[in-house]
Amino acid sequence: MVRKLFLTLAAAASALAISGAAWADITVLVPSGSEGDGLRAAAADYAKMKGTKVETVQAPYANVFEQGANAGATKSGVFDIVLMDDPWIPFFAENGHLEDLTPFFKNAGLEGPDNDFLSKSLAICRNPYNSGPYVCLPYVGNAQMFFYDAAKYKEAGVEAPKTWDDVLKASKALTEGGGGRYFGYVFRGGQGNPVVADFMPIFWSYGADLFNADRSKVTIDTPEGAAAMKTFMALRDVSPKGVESYNANEVGTALAAGTSASSINWPNWVATFEDPSQSKMVGKISYSPIPAGTKPGSSEIGHWTMGIMSASKNKQEAFDFMLWATSPEQIKISAERGNPPVRASVFTDPELTKQEKFRHYPVLMEAIQASTPRPRHPKWPEIENAFGIELSKAVAGTITPEEALKNSQTAVEQITGLK
């Protein structure tokens, strides 16, 4: 799997040459989408202010990992900074691809990141999680929330969903009355990351997890896992047909069109749902924390973080840019451009919170602080893919939920070498 993820150095170098990045003072690899667009805009601002040329190379999600992994393995130095999804941090850090930021903070007269950053936002930037040195700084504060049509839920007898039983009660009633055109729930059921991301909060809310506390044993096929799967299959039954192939756009379209009442979703979709040119549900969708199962609900955290590549030849310049880009002033500008913040001062800034498009900020800040990271394992991309294949098959009905858990347990044991 890892071999497949690596691109050739020639391909990466070619991409840089085409973009002109070879002549940059700092080169930053960013994902396509709002997260990368925000940092690209910040890079342009920084260049004007500081006279430092910051070149950004933008690529689709999977290609960011591939290009970053290749650059780390070959020690090419083609990227100084990678804007990475937080579950990638163990892979990059434990393979020696990321620079320890401790000396840079010391040189700047700082002990580390300031305490305006949310604690969970900082915890994921350390490797090992919440205890090791900082190897990244947080930039985009993603964490899942529960999105629901409050009026429809009220019609179904649920004022505000606190538990998955509440969600199922409302969703069953709405689907049964929907005549095959309206559904109580919708989720991403596509293989790999989509279905795993939508299943993990349910998995956790029943006390399940992929590994035990010290990451020495795989714990997917358990009674807790079975309880979570039972709820997940019940949610499938009140979702649109074909949900096993759904990804973010299909879920977003269903909610924006008002054909599904609820879903776990990410904060970058709020702008779409509150835009009258894209949504029939402006002002109608409510946001709440993840519902509880047998345990309190917990969001999957999905921050985008910046790390300095260990082969970079411009490490101090890279750190200076990262420190500037994650300052309170710049995180506020990033928020205004559509990226969720990582600082308490921005989440509570009255200039933002008085605006309707930021009304979800109190819920999102709570969700981040109650969030759970995906398993911190250097082989997480492989683990997620294997788990997601089995989950999606269960959603499609080609295997049973019991088989999905058993197959996932075996696959992850083989990937990790654990039992």
Side-chain angles (χ1 to χ4, degrees):
M1 175 74 180
V2 173
R3 287 196 301 272
K4 293 179 182 177
L5 294 173
F6 285 8
L7 299 178
T8 64
L9 178 58
S14 174
L16 286 170
I18 291 170
S19 70
W23 296 278
D25 294 322
I26 307 169
T27 302
V28 187
L29 178 62
V30 303
S32 301
S34 61
E35 301 88 358
D37 291 344
L39 194 56
R40 288 179 68 192
D45 293 343
Y46 188 77
K48 292 176 184 176
M49 292 175 57
K50 305 289 186 179
T52 299
K53 184 178 180 183
V54 183
E55 189 72 33
T56 53
V57 177
Q58 197 161 24
Y61 179 90
N63 288 3
V64 173
F65 181 88
E66 293 168 355
Q67 292 191 38
N70 181 73
T74 59
K75 303 187 187 303
S76 66
V78 291
F79 304 120
D80 299 297
I81 297 170
V82 176
L83 182 61
M84 64 182 66
D85 199 2
D86 72 76
W88 301 348
I89 292 174
F91 172 85
F92 280 86
E94 294 178 31
N95 282 291
H97 302 336
L98 287 178
E99 195 74 8
D100 182 345
L101 300 182
T102 304
F104 297 96
F105 279 115
K106 287 184 178 178
N107 289 342
L110 302 169
E111 293 184 6
D114 63 76
N115 60 12
D116 182 42
F117 286 106
L118 299 184
S119 60
K120 286 291 184 76
S121 299
L122 289 180
I124 59 168
C125 290
R126 305 176 76 169
N127 197 71
Y129 174 77
N130 201 32
S131 62
Y134 287 101
V135 293
C136 288
L137 287 178
Y139 186 63
V140 177
N142 272 334
Q144 296 162 322
M145 300 181 292
F146 188 74
F147 293 53
Y148 68 103
D149 183 333
K152 288 289 188 181
Y153 261 60
K154 188 174 182 179
E155 287 178 16
V158 177
E159 286 287 342
K162 301 294 185 185
T163 68
W164 287 112
D165 286 342
D166 292 338
V167 173
L168 285 169
K169 176 184 175 182
S171 295
K172 286 177 181 177
L174 293 170
T175 300
E176 287 171 2
R181 297 181 301 277
Y182 190 85
F183 301 90
Y185 196 75
V186 64
F187 65 93
R188 298 191 299 163
Q191 292 188 0
N193 170 267
V195 70
V196 173
D198 278 29
F199 179 62
M200 291 304 292
I202 301 169
F203 200 52
W204 291 323
S205 72
Y206 285 89
D209 211 337
L210 269 74
F211 300 96
N212 61 351
D214 65 359
R215 210 173 76 182
S216 63
K217 184 178 181 181
V218 180
T219 56
I220 297 171
D221 191 10
T222 62
E224 294 82 5
M229 281 293 284
K230 181 179 179 181
T231 293
F232 198 46
M233 294 299 99
L235 290 168
R236 175 202 61 188
D237 294 340
V238 293
S239 296
K241 300 298 181 185
V243 74
E244 65 271 11
S245 64
Y246 276 29
N247 205 330
N249 286 340
E250 290 80 9
V251 171
T253 297
L255 289 176
T259 58
S260 290
S262 59
S263 180
I264 292 172
N265 217 322
W266 296 91
N268 61 304
W269 278 97
V270 171
T272 298
F273 300 147
E274 302 299 336
D275 180 354
S277 70
Q278 303 182 72
S279 173
K280 296 180 179 179
M281 299 299 294
V282 175
K284 297 179 180 179
I285 293 180
S286 294
Y287 311 100
S288 71
I290 299 297
T294 57
K295 303 288 183 181
S298 180
S299 304
E300 180 180 282
I301 194 168
H303 279 25
W304 284 91
T305 67
M306 283 188 279
I308 300 173
M309 297 295 284
S310 58
S312 166
K313 298 176 178 61
N314 308 294
K315 294 173 184 175
Q316 186 60 54
E317 293 86 350
F319 180 77
D320 292 344
F321 171 72
M322 284 169 45
L323 207 59
W324 173 86
T326 58
S327 66
E329 298 78 12
Q330 291 305 312
I331 292 297
K332 181 177 178 180
I333 292 171
S334 177
E336 290 168 336
R337 288 169 171 160
N339 283 321
V342 290
R343 287 180 170 275
S345 63
V346 180
F347 268 116
T348 57
D349 189 311
E351 289 186 6
L352 299 181
T353 55
K354 69 182 180 182
Q355 300 180 50
E356 185 70 11
K357 65 181 179 180
F358 297 118
R359 64 186 171 90
H360 64 290
Y361 267 18
V363 173
L364 178 55
M365 188 164 82
E366 180 185 349
I368 291 173
Q369 292 295 66
S371 65
T372 301
R374 281 159 281 189
R376 303 285 286 194
H377 196 287
K379 292 186 177 181
W380 171 248
E382 294 177 70
I383 293 166
E384 181 181 55
N385 185 62
F387 193 27
I389 288 171
E390 301 302 329
L391 287 174
S392 189
K393 287 179 181 178
V395 173
T398 58
I399 62 175
T400 66
E402 294 78 14
E403 288 171 331
L405 291 175
K406 181 179 179 181
N407 294 349
S408 297
Q409 175 86 18
T410 301
V412 175
E413 286 176 347
Q414 290 175 346
I415 292 168
T416 59
L418 299 173
K419 291 294 182 183

